[in-house]
Amino acid sequence: MVMMDQSKRLAQPLAWTRAGKLAVAATCACFLLAAVGMGLFALLSDDPGTRQGCIKVSGASYVGSATIQACGHDAAVICGAGSASVGAAATADMRQACRQAGLTYGSPRTATPES
C-alpha cells in the first residue's frame, strides 16, 4: 500500500542532507559572486556618456534604435547642430545630454564646451 504511514511522514519536517546543504550554499555563493561582479563592472566600466564633454543618446532610426556617442569636438558639433542631428523624439534627450556634458545645444556658432 502506497498510503501507508503517509500522515506520519508528512508530520515530520524534511531532513537536510550534507549534499543538499552544500548544493544550496554553492548556488547562493555563485549568485552572490555574480551580483558583486556585475556591480563592480557597472562601477568601473568606462562609459563615454558619463565623462565630462561626452554625450550618449539613443533614439529612433530607420532600422530600429540608433545610439549617438561622441566626445570633445565631435560632441560639440553634434550638440551645436541641435535637433538636426537627431529625430524629434530624441531632441529632449539630446538637449539633456548636451547640458550634462557642459555643451551648448542648438547654437552652431557657439558649439564649444562651456566654462
Side-chain angles (χ1 to χ4, degrees), residues 10-104:
L10 291 175
Q12 296 176 355
L14 293 175
W16 283 84
T17 63
R18 180 178 285 179
K21 289 179 185 179
L22 183 63
V24 169
T27 303
C28 289
C30 287
F31 280 127
L32 182 64
L33 187 63
V36 168
M38 286 189 295
L40 285 174
F41 177 76
L43 287 174
L44 301 176
S45 67
D46 189 26
D47 184 15
T50 61
R51 293 194 306 249
Q52 183 64 16
C54 294
I55 59 169
K56 183 176 181 182
V57 178
S58 294
S61 177
Y62 291 110
V63 291
S65 175
T67 300
I68 297 173
Q69 184 172 315
C71 290
H73 177 71
D74 293 337
V77 170
I78 291 171
C79 286
S83 61
S85 60
V86 294
T91 301
D93 294 335
M94 178 63 79
R95 182 174 283 123
Q96 181 181 6
C98 292
R99 188 179 311 119
Q100 287 177 347
L103 301 169
T104 305

